[in-house]
Amino acid sequence: MTTPEVSANGGTTPPTPRVTVQFDRPGRVYEPLEHLGVRYAIDGIDAKRVRAVERSVLWYTEGKGEEDLGIHSFDRIDTADKLSSAVPTGSFAVRLPTSPLSYEGVIVKVRWCVRVRIFFAGGKDFVSEHVFDVGRLPPARGAVERIA
């Protein structure tokens, strides 16, 4: 357990949580329909103050236009008996879908990630995201110069 730091005004600042994630595949590259396995560890918290943990696998877009988000897998753990096996360490596995594939475009990007969200007593929460790739699409290139 990490103790709170004392601030300059004599108050206490809660410690910053740290979530480390270990993927079951070196390089974090998966093919569609493969299984993704994850082990995680949560450090820097008082486990007794955790009220819930959410573990999810999702994709989102970045770039021009509207940003999209799709939840592929979601698991909320909020009962005392299950929290003891999810905090401070845990693991889960999911089968990935056929699409969308990860994509590094010039205008838009599609990213996949594992998200671990921790809810504390008092209403605070902490989110940690860890990116991985689905598929092996080559990155897009910029505009090709015209030869005159």
Side-chain angles (χ1 to χ4, degrees):
M1 175 176 79
T2 305
T3 57
E5 297 177 8
V6 177
S7 66
N9 64 6
T12 59
T13 307
T16 302
R18 289 176 311 281
V19 178
T20 55
V21 170
Q22 181 180 16
F23 290 83
D24 65 346
R25 178 84 39 95
R28 299 181 180 190
V29 178
Y30 296 83
E31 294 301 324
L33 301 177
E34 286 186 332
H35 283 89
L36 163 77
V38 172
R39 295 188 58 76
Y40 64 88
I42 303 169
D43 295 311
I45 63 167
D46 179 356
K48 292 180 225 161
R49 298 195 40 80
V50 174
R51 295 294 173 243
V53 173
E54 291 177 353
R55 310 177 305 187
S56 54
V57 175
L58 57 103
W59 61 268
Y60 59 92
T61 61
E62 291 180 336
K64 292 187 178 181
E66 289 187 31
E67 295 185 356
D68 293 319
L69 178 131
I71 306 293
H72 174 64
S73 172
F74 178 84
D75 182 28
R76 181 178 172 92
I77 302 164
D78 57 6
T79 59
D81 59 328
K82 291 184 179 180
L83 275 172
S84 65
S85 66
V87 177
T89 62
S91 64
F92 62 96
V94 299
R95 186 174 185 205
L96 296 168
T98 56
S99 67
L101 299 179
S102 298
Y103 179 66
E104 285 289 323
V106 175
I107 296 174
V108 70
K109 297 170 182 15
V110 178
R111 304 221 191 274
W112 278 89
C113 74
V114 166
R115 179 184 288 170
V116 178
R117 187 172 185 181
I118 309 159
F119 293 86
F120 297 97
K124 302 267 185 194
D125 70 307
F126 177 82
V127 177
S128 181
E129 293 184 348
H130 305 268
V131 177
F132 66 95
D133 289 329
V134 175
R136 298 176 190 270
L137 291 177
R141 296 182 184 195
V144 177
E145 292 181 25
R146 292 186 176 177
I147 299 175

